């Protein structure tokens, strides 16, 4: 099975908050955001144009979306993508949803990441425009 990855045009920032914090209300009005909470931290990924008052932040990430939906019976998708990028020394920030996976790579590593993925049989497209 040949997987297709779509490159999102927007830059994202990964923020770290204390686990007691609540995500700022403006996060929920974004077209795309991710929130993860554990006992140790609250992580929020938002478009980089948002300026959040977080403990730490890591800006300039590009999102690659594995076009799905992907069934839960499909195995190794994220593992193969992360191994392909690890082989060329590219760190990732991975996020999974019910339907698919998202891989964030630093903007300056994007050309190298796309070349490695293409070399390993992945199809790369620009993120399709959303229909109104």
């Amino acid at each position: 099975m040949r997987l297709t990855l779509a490159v999102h045009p927007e830059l994202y920032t990964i923020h770290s908050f204390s686990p007691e914090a609540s995500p700022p209300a403006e996060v929920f009005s974004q077209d795309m955001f991710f929130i993860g909470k554990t006992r140790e931290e609250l992580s929020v990924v938002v478009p980089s144009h948002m300026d959040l008052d977080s403990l730490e932040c890591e800006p300039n990430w590009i999102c690659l979306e594995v076009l799905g939906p992907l069934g839960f019976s499909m195995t190794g998708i994220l593992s193969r993508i992360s191994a392909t990028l690890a082989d060329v020394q590219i760190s990732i920030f991975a996020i999974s949803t019910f339907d698919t996976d998202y891989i964030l790579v630093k903007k300056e590593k994007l050309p190298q990441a796309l070349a490695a993925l293409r070399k390993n049989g992945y199809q790369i497209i620009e993120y399709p425009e959303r229909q109104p």
Side-chain angles (χ1 to χ4, degrees):
M1 173 186 193
R2 184 171 183 193
L3 289 176
T4 300
L5 301 174
V7 180
H8 287 232
E10 191 154 21
L11 285 175
Y12 291 89
T13 298
I14 303 165
H15 293 270
S16 177
F17 295 88
S18 75
E20 298 81 26
S22 294
E26 63 265 29
V27 168
F28 299 99
S29 66
Q30 300 307 301
D31 285 340
M32 192 164 111
F33 63 89
F34 298 97
I35 298 172
K37 184 176 192 263
T38 67
R39 290 183 199 161
E40 292 80 30
E41 69 170 316
L42 170 69
S43 293
V44 178
V45 180
V46 291
S48 289
H49 66 78
M50 289 191 69
D51 186 24
L52 302 182
D53 187 20
S54 55
L55 298 173
E56 290 183 65
C57 69
E58 184 70 32
N60 296 318
W61 293 84
I62 295 282
C63 181
L64 305 174
E65 176 181 350
V66 181
L67 294 184
L70 306 174
F72 284 106
S73 64
M74 297 175 74
T75 60
I77 293 170
L78 189 55
S79 172
R80 286 190 296 276
I81 293 169
S82 63
T84 296
L85 297 175
D87 286 346
V88 293
Q89 315 314 278
I90 295 177
S91 297
I92 66 166
F93 188 89
I95 302 167
S96 294
T97 66
F98 192 89
D99 284 337
T100 195
D101 295 317
Y102 298 84
I103 297 89
L104 280 71
V105 298
K106 290 297 270 186
K107 179 183 176 184
E108 65 271 10
K109 296 287 189 174
L110 184 64
Q112 186 182 3
L114 296 181
L117 291 164
R118 284 186 178 109
K119 181 178 177 185
N120 282 273
Y122 293 92
Q123 180 179 1
I124 309 293
I125 64 168
E126 295 299 318
Y127 192 73
E129 293 296 320
R130 295 186 183 195
Q131 299 302 315

